[in-house]
Each structure stands twice: as structure tokens, then as C-alpha cells.
Amino acid sequence: MAMRQTPLTCSGHTRPVVDLAFSGITPFGYFLISACKDGKPMLRQGDTGDWIGTFLGHKGAVWGATLNTDATKAATAAADFTAKVWDAVSGDEVLSLAHKHIVKSVNFTQDSNCLLTAGNDKLLRIYDLSQPEAPSQEIAGHSAAIKKALWCNNDKQILSAADDKTIRLWDRSSMQEVKMLTFETSVSSMEYMADGELLVITYGKTIAFYNALSLELIKTVEAPAPINSASLHPEKDFFVAGGEDFKLYKFDYSTKEELESYKGHFGPVHCVRFSPDGELYASGSEDGTLRLWQTAVGKTYGLWKCVLPGKSLFVSVYTFCLNKMVYCG
């Protein structure tokens, strides 16, 4: 009997969810943070979607959010011209970093000592979190707003994607541009995978894979609709993508074949990411919800419980939304 994908729906946000990120695997599991235009980023248990808390303090839409590897720190980027650093255990605000324009992207170094920010002022900024009063290091070069900026190559280099239709690779020590890629349209998303030094880029209906160090193209895949975000499975055997047609697509990485497609959201999908163990992927949408999808449909994992009544196979799903349990099947 074929299995039907039954996503966990995580409510709580009141505006579109525009970014999400997972922590690494910790002794307490792994965690998920979401950025939303309601200005209230939320922290959840990664494998269940169970709400843990909301970071309160921004006075505008939150465009970017991230967790450090061990989920002890969070960072958010917002339209109130600030990036904030939070204690992810207590929920307390640790730092508020003033910018001159809307901030779109935040990213910790592996040791969590530095924070990379970027946004509409076209600058990359590096903050030493051990010296919060010290001025940031600034890197200029983009001619339009920066959508995403990520550390790469063991934090020796930086990747940035901007509305000037370029992706640029920067050297951290010299603060100089190393290489630039130019596209016919603006890049909608960028994911970096340290294992294998891979870069996943989306623009238009295209999902492209590059070597992150050389920026040499590996392959491209065309999707049926404009794509806003894509994520490669940790084992690199397949990837998922979501976009303007409200659907989630799953493709074989080697053959480029479309394996599955699911429609669960009621608006365009803005962001999608695999969990660190690869067992699920999360999506955020214009409809204000996060949804968690099983990588292997029918497997007992998290809140997905497989039961065998007689000879028929069913999947029961318990969805936690704001600490309220709802039986869904």
C-alpha cells in the first residue's frame, strides 16, 4: 500500500515565514528557528515542531534567522535596521547590532565567536561577539541589496548573493573578492554544505549546484515552477525544492529525476531545509505556517507513528502547535 505524505503543521506565526534554519545535533536533539514578517522569530524542537519559545524584541519584519551548532545562541536579521543575538536557552536578548538599513542575513562562525550580517545597505559586516563595542569589519562590492551571506571553507571565506544578480566569494583575511558569478536574474536562495564544499543556488525555475571553493558549475536542474528555495540531503542522494506553485518537489541528485511532489501549503513556499540527520525537511510559506515533511514516508520518527491494524498500513501523526496537541490521523 502506497504511503501518503502527512506533514506536521506548525502554527503560531501570523505573517509569511521567510527563513528557517536547523541547529546541529545536540545532546537534547536538534532545534529549528523560523523568521517571519510578524517580527517574532520562534524556536522549536526540530524533530517534532513542538514550540519552545518566541524571541521578543524586534520592531519590524524578521527576514533571517539562524542557530549556532549547539543551539545555545540564535541570531536574527530584521527590518528595524538591527541584527540581534539571543541566548537560545533562556530566550534573552544578548546583543542588538545597529545597521543603516534593513538586515536580511545572519550567520555564525563555527566557533560562534563571530557573526556575519548583510542586507539592504549592500555591505557585509563581521562582528566579533567577544568585543561587542568594537566596530564591525565591512566588505563592500555589491551594487544592490544582499539577500544571503554565509561563511565557507572553515570560515576562511564568505559567500554572498545579492539583487545585483551576482554571487561573490570573498577572502576573510584580505577582505577582497576572489570570484564572482553572474546570472540573468536575481538568485532567490543559497545553501552551503561544508561536507563536500557544495553550493546550492536557486534562480527562476533553476536549481544549480556549484563547487563552493572554485564556483565551478556541477549541474543544473529545471523545476516545473519558479523556485524560491532548495536543500540537498546530507547524504547527497536527493534534494527538495519549493516555490511559487505552493508545492514541494523531491529530485534524485544523480539522475535529476523528479521523484515526488506534494502540495500542503496554501501559499508560495519561501524556504526549505533538511534536518541535520536527514530524516525530515522543513518548509516555510506565505501562508504563515511551517510544515515538517518525512524524508522516508511511513517511517516511525518523531511524531510520525506507524501502526499495522490487520493488513493495512497507516501513519498516525500528532501535531504540536504552541504546546497544544491535535490528533491528525
Side-chain angles (χ1 to χ4, degrees):
M1 180 178 175
M3 293 290 95
R4 181 173 65 89
Q5 176 76 266
T6 306
L8 300 173
T9 301
C10 305
S11 302
H13 285 301
T14 58
R15 296 285 307 283
V17 178
V18 292
D19 193 28
L20 57 84
F22 285 100
S23 71
I25 298 173
T26 78
F28 306 99
Y30 61 87
F31 300 88
L32 171 64
I33 191 171
S34 55
C36 181
K37 289 184 181 180
D38 64 10
K40 298 176 181 179
M42 291 186 178
L43 183 69
R44 300 176 187 272
Q45 191 71 37
D47 60 342
T48 65
D50 192 10
W51 177 82
I52 295 172
T54 301
F55 299 101
L56 299 175
H58 280 297
K59 297 178 181 179
V62 176
W63 288 100
T66 192
L67 294 165
N68 66 346
T69 302
D70 62 5
T72 56
K73 292 180 182 179
T76 50
D80 61 7
F81 293 18
T82 70
K84 293 182 184 289
V85 179
W86 311 82
D87 183 319
V89 179
S90 68
D92 294 333
E93 181 181 314
V94 177
L95 284 173
S96 185
L97 305 168
H99 289 62
K100 296 178 181 179
H101 213 309
I102 293 169
V103 190
K104 289 288 186 73
S105 178
V106 280
N107 193 227
F108 288 108
T109 49
Q110 294 179 51
D111 60 12
S112 306
N113 290 333
C114 292
L115 184 72
L116 173 66
T117 72
N120 287 14
D121 63 2
K122 311 170 192 176
L123 296 174
L124 296 166
R125 286 187 169 88
I126 302 171
Y127 291 89
D128 184 340
L129 299 181
S130 66
Q131 303 178 55
E133 302 303 320
S136 63
Q137 293 179 287
E138 296 182 356
I139 303 176
H142 280 292
S143 59
I146 302 171
K147 288 183 174 178
K148 198 76 172 178
L150 302 170
W151 295 104
C152 67
N153 191 15
N154 293 315
D155 301 332
K156 297 174 185 175
Q157 293 179 311
I158 295 167
L159 288 158
S160 57
D163 284 335
D164 58 11
K165 303 177 183 178
T166 70
I167 284 182
R168 305 182 192 223
L169 179 66
W170 310 85
D171 180 75
R172 180 183 182 178
S173 58
S174 69
M175 313 281 279
Q176 297 298 310
E177 182 183 305
V178 176
K179 195 168 183 179
M180 178 176 69
L181 294 174
T182 303
F183 300 87
E184 293 182 357
T185 186
S186 293
V187 170
S188 52
S189 74
M190 180 174 68
E191 178 186 61
Y192 167 70
M193 298 190 69
D195 182 13
E197 296 292 345
L198 287 172
L199 187 62
V200 186
I201 298 168
T202 61
Y203 56 94
K205 296 182 179 181
T206 303
I207 304 131
F209 300 86
Y210 285 81
N211 180 289
L213 303 183
S214 65
L215 293 189
E216 292 180 358
L217 180 64
I218 298 170
K219 67 177 70 177
T220 61
V221 178
E222 294 300 313
I227 295 298
N228 294 325
S229 183
S231 185
L232 182 62
H233 189 270
E235 299 297 324
K236 303 177 184 64
D237 45 4
F238 47 83
F239 62 94
V240 293
E244 292 299 308
D245 64 353
F246 307 5
K247 288 185 177 182
L248 273 296
Y249 293 92
K250 185 177 178 182
F251 294 87
D252 185 286
Y253 179 69
S254 298
T255 66
K256 306 183 186 181
E257 177 188 1
E258 181 185 321
L259 301 175
E260 301 163 345
S261 66
Y262 303 110
K263 187 175 180 180
H265 283 290
F266 297 97
V269 178
H270 293 308
C271 45
V272 59
R273 285 291 178 270
F274 271 107
S275 62
D277 62 1
E279 292 288 348
L280 61 81
Y281 50 98
S283 57
S285 168
E286 184 75 16
D287 65 15
T289 68
L290 286 144
R291 293 177 191 258
L292 305 183
W293 309 77
Q294 275 191 294
T295 300
V297 179
K299 182 177 181 180
T300 293
Y301 179 83
L303 299 180
W304 288 282
K305 308 296 181 185
C306 292
V307 293
L308 288 166
K311 296 182 180 180
S312 299
L313 181 61
F314 297 89
V315 181
S316 293
V317 178
Y318 291 86
T319 305
F320 281 77
C321 300
L322 294 172
N323 282 343
K324 296 179 181 178
M325 187 170 71
V326 181
Y327 182 62
C328 301

